[in-house]
Amino acid sequence: MEAPSDLAAWEPPAQGGTPTPPTDSPLPMYLLAQQARRAEGEERQRLAWNLNQLLEELGAQGGGRTEADAFHRLLEGGNLDGLVDADGRSCRATAVESLLALGFPYALEVRPEDLEHLKNAPVPGTRLTPPAGGPFPALAVGLGALALQVVLGLAGLVVPGGLLILQGLLTLLSLTLLTVASVGSPLYRGALALLTVVSGVGLGMVLVPDVPAGWAAGLGGLVAAFLAALRKS
């Protein structure tokens, strides 16, 4: 692949007509990146998708110094920051993958911060959206499960016992801490671990003969712990 000798000097016009660079040069990457950064909403995602396709194609075709420098200029200039297509793929992560695909020695030139971005980039189809409402979804599920456990006891379907009472108290304590503690703090992580363990043990009581089964509170507690784990600060 051939490219103009001075890629850094080329910039797409801010307005007016849009030039059409040769398809065998790296310039379409810059053009698409600039167009995507100026766009919004679905149009931005569409252009980001097109850019990801182009980056993948260039990486799959291989190349040398010219292609590696083109990827470097895209990454170092921040041209790809914030560009994510509709599938959740980060253009920056795709550029890093394509640069790595060029192999030795160009793969060794990837900056640590770009490698870290690639490592933390969500995999398409596996993204989990934090629940809205802060701590209240987890609190509502946990308290609802405890209420159901009490109803089962009053109805005689579950024989009350000391373990069930302890499970309920520890679950309440965990939910309270998850509500008041800062997300990601040691107290929050400790409460999350406690709720997970207590709920798992409560659910496992079903398998132990002659032991009151706290399956309702256990199942609800695990769901509450999952919702709490998804929260972001």
Side-chain angles (χ1 to χ4, degrees):
M1 297 174 65
E2 298 180 359
S5 58
D6 188 9
L7 292 176
W10 183 89
E11 292 184 0
Q15 57 185 4
T18 300
T20 304
T23 56
D24 61 347
S25 80
L27 294 183
M29 296 191 300
Y30 297 92
L31 177 61
L32 273 174
Q34 294 298 323
Q35 288 177 332
R37 287 178 65 85
R38 290 196 295 265
E40 296 180 357
E42 294 183 358
E43 177 66 10
R44 183 184 179 98
Q45 291 181 336
R46 184 186 68 81
L47 292 171
W49 188 89
N50 291 338
L51 179 56
N52 276 332
Q53 297 301 306
L54 179 57
L55 292 170
E56 289 179 346
E57 290 175 5
L58 291 175
Q61 292 170 5
R65 184 76 269 159
T66 299
E67 290 72 27
D69 286 345
F71 287 127
H72 282 306
R73 288 192 176 105
L74 272 176
L75 292 167
E76 294 171 359
N79 296 290
L80 305 180
D81 292 350
L83 294 182
V84 179
D85 66 19
D87 294 328
R89 295 187 306 164
S90 161
C91 291
R92 182 181 176 187
T94 303
V96 175
E97 288 178 333
S98 298
L99 180 56
L100 291 172
L102 296 181
F104 181 86
Y106 312 111
L108 300 178
E109 301 171 356
V110 179
R111 299 180 302 172
E113 56 266 37
D114 290 326
L115 285 174
E116 186 68 19
H117 175 82
L118 175 60
K119 176 183 176 182
N120 296 326
V123 179
T126 62
R127 291 183 301 162
L128 294 174
T129 302
F136 298 108
L139 182 63
V141 171
L143 292 179
L146 286 177
L148 176 59
Q149 192 70 58
V150 172
V151 171
L152 292 175
L154 293 176
L157 299 177
V158 176
V159 180
L163 288 178
L164 283 181
I165 296 175
L166 179 60
Q167 177 189 0
L169 291 176
L170 291 177
T171 299
L172 280 175
L173 175 62
S174 302
L175 292 172
T176 301
L177 293 177
L178 289 173
T179 302
V180 301
S182 300
V183 178
S185 66
L187 182 59
Y188 190 90
R189 293 195 296 267
L192 184 59
L194 177 61
L195 179 59
T196 302
V197 171
V198 170
S199 300
V201 172
L203 191 58
M205 289 179 183
V206 177
L207 304 177
V208 181
D210 301 325
V211 174
W215 64 266
L219 181 60
L222 289 177
V223 174
F226 176 73
L227 293 175
L230 289 181
R231 283 185 60 201
K232 291 185 177 180
S233 55

